[in-house]
Amino acid sequence: MPTPRLRLVRTAATLAAATLLAPAVLALPAQASPAGDSLVINEAYTNGGSAGALFTHKFVELYNPTDQPISLDGWSLQYRSATGTTAPSTTVALSGTVPAKGHFLIQGGSNGATGAALPTPDLTTSFNPAGTKGTIVLADQAGTVAGLPTGSVVTDQVAGVADVLGYGATNTFETAASGAPAANSDPKSIARTGGADTDDNAADFTVAADVTPQNAAGGGTAPVDPVDPVDPTPAPAPSVTVAEIQGTGATSPLEGRRVSTTGVVTAVYSTGGYDGFYIQTAGTGGAEDATPGASDGVFVYAPAEVGSVTLGQTVTVTGDVAEYYGLTQVKAEAGGVRQAAEAGAPVTARELAFPLTEAEKEAHEGELLAPAGAWTVTDNYDVNQYGSLGLAPGTSPLPNPTSVALPGADAQAVAADNAQRLIVLDDGASTNFFRSPGNQNALPYIDADAPARVGSAVDFRTPVILDYRYGAWSFQPLGHLTDANKAEVQPVDIADTRPAEAVREDLGGNVTVGSFNVLNYFTTLGEDVPGCGYYADKDGAPVSTKGCLPRGAYTEEAFLEQQAKIATAINGMDTSVVALEEIENSEKFGLDRDHALAHLVDALNAQAGYAKWAYVASPTVRPALADEDVIRSAFIYQPAEVTPVGESVILDDQVNFANAREPMAQAFRVADGSAGGVVGTEFVAITNHFKSKGGSGATGDNVDTGDGQGAYNGDRTRMAQALVAFAEQMKVQAGTDRVLLMGDFNSYEKEDPIRVLEAAGYISQGAKTGEYSYTFDGAVGSLDGIYASPAADATVTGQDIWMINANESVAFEYSRDNYVGEEFYAPDQWRSSDHNPVLVGLQLDAPAAPVVPTPGTRPTPPADQCALITSPRGAKASAGFSASEWMRCAGVHPGKGRGRG
């Protein structure tokens, strides 16, 4: 499977705060971490007591961006030197509570007696980071963080790391280190700029002369707006129109200026964290645009006033114009919102057809819109955490670029088009449903009976606001959408495309095959492995494992829920043969290699009510255990329909598959007693699970070049070449040219590895369905497939990609059970995995043409494999060929020295 998914709009690179800045305090966010769900380091002062110091002691100030207080019990503050490569050298325990939307001041060591005393610290420690360079780690564990790498380390990437501040010439940071505080007579602090947390220390922090320690009680220093010392009364704010505030560019021409403007209230967010409302110039909207290029709507951040305004009211707002992570706003000052003397003409929703260019969207930022035309759900991953859906104009979800276009310029053009077309349907709130202990809130847009699947049609029932948050354009409802008010506030109707009964297509034929990634089916549980972390539900109960060798369920209860869904899906597939990916390699846990596989078969048979399934045993000869992954590929089959022929074969190729699961082959024939169940009706199935697209450690041609194929494309391409060679070997061994290459290739349809398979004559069966097996980052495509040799393709009677998983929200997955107020889990096939199964029917009632090597000869590896061998020393047994065969392809005759090839 690909790298762990990045949230569609709340990615580490683009996240901004969800609520806006209060005018009377230090510029801090109401959502500070990229997810806005945990503590962050807000300021660090590393020169306390030095010559010229402002304060006698060093300090670290934390900030809590959430709506709930956070206990520091079990947390720690850690320091590693700028050149350190082992665990942090200093770890101090933390205690106390950081108030909601509040600060916490941790006093550290001192370099001398210069400076004033800090405001009353919330905690006094011996924490003593270096003055000009180093790395400060905020850890959500008491023990020292183990395995802290050098380079970029961002939140949740390393177990225990909640936030990182690398400053000066240090080797560890978030994306890039912040500047170094000067170690001279004018020492400075490292302060988060405007509350930004984009997981980039260099972008998020500035080295400033203002040192502003603040404690939990609110004591400390904070900048104030300068006033005339003779007449402190601020000058009257000039009256401007909303369009003048917005301007015709990406930023307001009045940014930083105090203004007054009047408009009709079009949306109100008094709950949910936005703490503000939208206004639009009276009488605007509709077909006529009185201010082309400049929007007539703007957001007003007014936490103290938002509760007093209502939809349709005409108000005058006074405050500062600001750009908040791309959203133009007016920060209403205290008492800066008042009823206008006269009611303005109503605002009309402007009907707009999408997609729009960036400039066109900017020209309507903040306006009341009626989106025209057809719309489709293209992403539903975030709906159960942030209450948002990804929408695309038109009748289809967005395509993964390399599913429909060649890597490089063509794919990049598709990616750019996708980015222009994507609009997020938000819920008018910054709520993180996963970070609310005891949360009983129902999710917007989705429930157990209305799954909001990818591909579902969307019809707008009310106008929406065109908004810009979290680095993405969005449609906001006219208020915070909740379960209680959805009858009035719900802006859309979403078609329910889930079939009443989950039945796969009739595939025809007398043999059927399928491929299914079973999403880390592990019988070894996290609770049985010391030190294994876990992801918890809303009540704090463990559900799935985190950061340890078992990759599946943490508890028996969670495992049984996972198994019930997988068994229902496989019994629903009901194919003669199923190739499985991501099942536990039980030998890694001291058990028989097939232990988990056998357990799954038992569960399938128990659910079916009879001995319907059996498994293909691991072969006697297989790779060394140290060379295998903790997950593996496997086959199960129905003995009443097919019979395995001979022992399975695993390709022991540690050159090309050193970082992936080795292919496994098995020959089958129609079962004895069935039509055509005679020798000669054999076919060979080979199950695969290629290297993922994750880029950690990639070098050479494995580095992500930005062409759309991700990292490790070089290795996946070599795996495809080795697989083709292995398939040729299996044709000879099984005596048939009917071969099916099956599994999770971690490659979309137009990428290099798939083109290797197709160049060798293999024909994609999934492509014939017009469906897809996977969704990622708001786009659809197929990582999974069944590729048939020409002889096998000639027997194909039908194909299906069974749409039961990838288009379903992750809310229905066992790993998200009891995460929110509504119960989504059911022991059915819906979201039993993140991959859709691929299925094919075959009619095998005549002997296949036998494949035998020419008498007196031995097979030779294909040319692209031969090219890897440059000397007799390089020749080795690999991809099923002996060392002598490798030598032959390299022009080397065993025992006779180097020859010409």
Side-chain angles (χ1 to χ4, degrees):
M1 63 188 294
T3 53
R5 174 193 293 264
L6 295 175
R7 291 186 290 270
L8 178 62
V9 294
R10 294 165 167 90
T11 64
T14 61
L15 276 172
T19 50
L20 306 178
L21 307 183
V25 298
L26 182 65
L28 293 169
Q31 178 167 326
S33 73
D37 52 20
S38 187
L39 301 175
V40 292
I41 299 168
N42 192 62
E43 186 173 4
Y45 182 62
T46 59
N47 288 300
S50 298
L54 297 177
F55 293 100
T56 57
H57 287 76
K58 304 179 182 184
F59 70 82
V60 174
E61 177 191 295
L62 306 181
Y63 180 70
N64 175 6
T66 76
D67 296 320
Q68 301 292 328
I70 296 178
S71 172
L72 285 171
D73 293 344
W75 289 59
S76 61
L77 199 61
Q78 306 184 20
Y79 171 77
R80 184 166 75 180
S81 70
T83 58
T85 57
T86 58
S89 58
T90 300
T91 298
V92 298
L94 300 181
S95 60
T97 300
V98 188
K101 301 291 195 299
H103 307 85
F104 191 92
L105 185 61
I106 303 167
Q107 178 175 294
S110 175
N111 294 337
T114 304
L118 289 169
T120 304
D122 298 301
L123 183 67
T124 299
T125 72
S126 60
F127 192 66
N128 200 32
T132 60
K133 57 184 178 181
T135 299
I136 299 172
V137 177
L138 176 63
D140 56 9
Q141 64 182 38
T144 301
V145 172
L148 183 68
T150 58
S152 179
V153 180
V154 298
T155 305
D156 290 337
Q157 183 184 67
V158 177
V161 173
D163 198 18
V164 171
L165 170 57
Y167 60 99
T170 186
N171 63 10
T172 308
F173 37 73
E174 288 185 343
T175 304
S178 68
N184 54 31
S185 60
D186 184 25
K188 300 175 177 68
S189 76
I190 315 152
R192 199 174 284 278
T193 307
D197 187 5
T198 64
D199 277 345
D200 184 341
N201 289 162
D204 296 342
F205 287 87
T206 57
V207 178
D210 290 330
V211 184
T212 58
Q214 296 186 79
N215 58 26
T221 60
V224 296
D225 292 331
V227 296
D228 188 323
V230 177
D231 180 9
T233 303
S239 179
V240 298
T241 66
V242 171
E244 287 172 326
I245 293 173
Q246 286 282 10
T248 57
T251 60
S252 171
L254 302 179
E255 183 178 6
R257 294 181 58 184
R258 182 171 174 265
V259 301
S260 180
T261 191
T262 300
V264 176
V265 176
T266 54
V268 180
Y269 309 105
S270 55
T271 61
Y274 285 174
D275 291 338
F277 55 92
Y278 271 98
I279 61 172
Q280 187 166 330
T281 301
T284 59
E288 296 297 324
D289 190 349
T291 57
S295 172
D296 293 308
V298 71
F299 183 73
V300 178
Y301 175 69
E305 309 282 353
V306 65
S308 64
V309 301
T310 58
L311 288 175
Q313 182 183 13
T314 305
V315 296
T316 297
V317 176
T318 301
D320 294 333
V321 177
E323 288 292 333
Y324 198 70
Y325 299 101
L327 174 69
T328 301
Q329 62 163 330
V330 177
K331 295 163 53 180
E333 59 193 35
V337 179
R338 64 184 187 276
Q339 175 83 34
E342 296 182 3
V347 170
T348 304
R350 191 184 306 279
E351 185 172 318
L352 282 183
F354 286 72
L356 299 177
T357 66
E358 193 73 10
E360 289 170 334
K361 284 181 279 195
E362 191 70 46
H364 298 288
E365 177 192 73
E367 288 188 349
L368 188 70
L369 300 183
W375 288 83
T376 300
V377 175
T378 191
D379 185 271
N380 57 11
Y381 190 85
D382 276 348
V383 70
N384 73 315
Q385 184 170 4
Y386 295 106
S388 61
L389 293 170
L391 304 185
T395 58
S396 302
L398 300 175
N400 187 285
T402 49
S403 285
V404 295
L406 292 176
D410 291 348
Q412 290 162 349
V414 175
D417 183 63
N418 284 354
Q420 181 174 306
R421 295 168 64 83
L422 175 67
I423 300 287
V424 175
L425 177 63
D426 215 339
D427 63 343
S430 58
T431 306
N432 182 339
F433 291 90
F434 286 4
R435 297 295 186 179
S436 302
N439 169 36
Q440 296 301 320
N441 294 324
L443 295 173
Y445 303 121
I446 184 173
D447 59 44
D449 299 321
R453 305 167 93 214
V454 171
S456 296
V458 175
D459 292 319
F460 284 86
R461 61 160 79 164
T462 74
V464 290
I465 299 291
L466 181 61
D467 185 55
Y468 188 85
R469 294 176 194 267
Y470 310 113
W473 289 98
S474 62
F475 291 146
Q476 298 288 353
L478 305 187
H480 174 200
L481 177 61
T482 67
D483 194 51
N485 68 17
K486 63 183 179 182
E488 299 80 30
V489 179
Q490 168 70 271
V492 296
D493 291 314
I494 302 173
D496 184 1
T497 61
R498 182 190 283 180
E501 296 184 12
V503 180
R504 66 163 171 82
E505 295 288 336
D506 181 3
L507 303 171
N510 58 351
V511 169
T512 51
V513 297
S515 175
F516 189 27
N517 183 313
V518 292
L519 187 61
N520 291 313
Y521 177 88
F522 274 67
T523 55
T524 301
L525 305 176
E527 64 183 0
D528 296 329
V529 176
C532 187
Y534 59 82
Y535 294 97
D537 66 14
K538 65 181 174 65
D539 298 323
V543 179
S544 55
T545 62
K546 176 183 180 181
C548 57
L549 201 58
R551 298 182 184 177
Y554 191 87
T555 64
E556 179 74 12
E557 178 184 7
F559 169 74
L560 292 175
E561 289 186 345
Q562 178 193 25
Q563 180 173 262
K565 294 185 83 73
I566 290 174
T568 302
I570 292 176
N571 274 321
M573 289 171 64
D574 196 28
T575 51
S576 310
V577 176
V578 181
L580 302 174
E581 301 86 43
E582 284 196 22
I583 193 166
E584 174 188 290
N585 183 349
S586 299
E587 194 173 3
K588 287 285 189 179
F589 300 97
L591 303 170
D592 181 84
R593 189 175 189 271
D594 296 330
H595 173 84
L597 183 60
H599 194 100
L600 176 59
V601 166
D602 289 344
L604 288 166
N605 290 335
Q607 189 184 81
Y610 66 100
K612 180 177 181 177
W613 298 93
Y615 65 87
V616 171
S618 295
T620 304
V621 178
R622 54 181 184 262
L625 182 60
D627 292 333
E628 291 197 281
D629 198 351
V630 71
I631 54 174
R632 53 166 289 203
S633 301
F635 286 109
I636 60 174
Y637 65 98
Q638 297 188 47
E641 298 184 11
V642 293
T643 301
V645 179
E647 192 179 39
S648 62
V649 179
I650 295 177
L651 173 57
D652 188 3
D653 176 359
Q654 300 311 316
V655 172
N656 295 302
F657 287 90
N659 59 2
R661 283 61 53 181
E662 297 83 356
M664 179 180 183
Q666 177 64 57
F668 294 94
R669 70 167 183 266
V670 182
D672 296 336
S674 300
V678 297
V679 173
T681 61
E682 290 91 347
F683 66 96
V684 173
I686 305 177
T687 180
N688 300 271
H689 191 185
F690 284 8
K691 175 72 178 76
S692 71
K693 294 175 177 286
S696 177
T699 59
D701 64 358
N702 285 320
V703 173
D704 187 349
T705 65
D707 66 354
Q709 301 188 92
Y712 289 95
N713 181 62
D715 277 355
R716 284 193 299 277
T717 301
R718 286 181 284 274
M719 289 171 195
Q721 294 165 344
L723 173 61
V724 169
F726 181 49
E728 292 302 307
Q729 175 200 359
M730 290 306 304
K731 286 180 183 179
V732 174
Q733 180 171 318
T736 178
D737 56 0
R738 295 170 177 161
V739 176
L740 301 172
L741 309 180
M742 312 169 69
D744 178 358
F745 296 91
N746 270 314
S747 308
Y748 291 107
E749 295 95 308
K750 299 295 185 181
E751 294 182 7
D752 295 340
I754 302 306
R755 289 192 285 167
V756 168
L757 303 183
E758 292 176 337
Y762 289 89
I763 300 163
S764 172
Q765 303 303 306
K768 298 178 182 181
T769 69
E771 299 288 0
Y772 54 88
S773 76
Y774 201 71
T775 64
F776 182 73
D777 206 20
V780 304
S782 286
L783 296 176
D784 312 83
I786 297 179
Y787 295 85
S789 67
D793 184 67
T795 71
V796 170
T797 55
Q799 312 86 4
D800 186 25
I801 294 182
W802 198 21
M803 307 294 285
I804 60 172
N805 292 325
N807 42 323
E808 294 279 334
S809 169
V810 71
F812 295 95
E813 201 172 280
Y814 90 94
S815 65
R816 301 299 193 273
D817 186 25
N818 196 41
Y819 265 58
V820 295
E822 183 175 2
E823 178 61 71
F824 283 89
Y825 174 82
D828 54 25
Q829 65 288 318
W830 306 117
R831 194 67 187 196
S832 51
S833 173
D834 52 346
H835 295 248
N836 289 327
V838 185
L839 316 173
V840 170
L842 309 171
Q843 185 62 39
L844 300 176
D845 52 10
V851 177
V852 295
T854 303
T857 66
R858 294 282 294 166
T860 299
D864 50 19
Q865 294 294 296
C866 289
L868 301 176
I869 306 301
T870 58
S871 70
R873 295 181 182 275
K876 61 179 290 185
S878 180
F881 295 93
S882 68
S884 62
E885 289 155 0
W886 280 115
M887 290 178 176
R888 182 178 297 109
C889 86
V892 178
H893 301 279
K896 296 183 179 180
R898 179 176 296 276
R900 288 187 173 272

